[in-house]
Amino acid sequence: QVQLVESGGGLVQPGGSLRLSCVASGSFFSINAMGWYRQAPGKQRELVASITSGGSTKYADSVKGRFTISRENAKNTVYLQMNSLKPEDTAVYYCNADIPGTYVGTSFVYWGQGTQVTVSS
């Protein structure tokens, strides 16, 4: 059993900052890629940023230069530092983790429950 728990969401004014955290716990030995997704009302879930176990990162064009993803492998934790927030960043933010399965070459993606981020004056 694997659990992902996000924290750090909330209400912030435009131009402000928030830092999201996501901790993975349970029965596993390692984590492949970890990522952050978001879903705004009436829209599909979209990738915000992802990071491999080696630290390679990828960002959505809409957040490049404003958001930074990082991870602490020893703590099974991924972070999302969000700066210069805009109203259009308002969404529920979900983290996920790709964790190797029992058999070589297999893996499973686990999701957290989500944390609300609201950017409004």
Side-chain angles (χ1 to χ4, degrees), residues 35-69:
W36 288 96
Y37 286 71
R38 67 185 180 187
Q39 187 167 19
K43 294 188 176 182
Q44 288 188 329
R45 190 174 297 190
E46 63 175 359
L47 173 69
V48 176
S50 64
I51 184 167
T52 67
S53 57
S56 297
T57 59
K58 181 169 61 175
Y59 295 93
D61 287 343
S62 59
V63 306
K64 282 181 182 176
R66 299 188 298 122
F67 291 10
T68 302
I69 189 171

Side-chain angles (χ1 to χ4, degrees), residues 4 12 19-20 23 34 42 45 47 54 70 73-74 78 90 103 112 117-118:
L4 300 180
V12 64
R19 188 193 195 205
L20 306 183
V23 181
M34 303 184 80
R45 190 174 297 190
L47 173 69
S70 60
N73 292 331
V78 64
T90 296
Y103 300 102
V117 171
T118 302

Side-chain angles (χ1 to χ4, degrees), residues 1-3 24-34 53 71-77 97-104 106-108 110:
Q1 191 77 0
V2 176
Q3 285 190 321
S25 61
S27 301
F28 56 88
F29 293 103
S30 64
I31 303 175
N32 296 328
M34 303 184 80
S53 57
R71 63 190 283 178
E72 285 189 76
N73 292 331
K75 295 183 178 181
N76 297 321
T77 301
D98 181 51
I99 294 178
T102 302
Y103 300 102
V104 174
T106 66
S107 66
F108 298 93
Y110 296 87

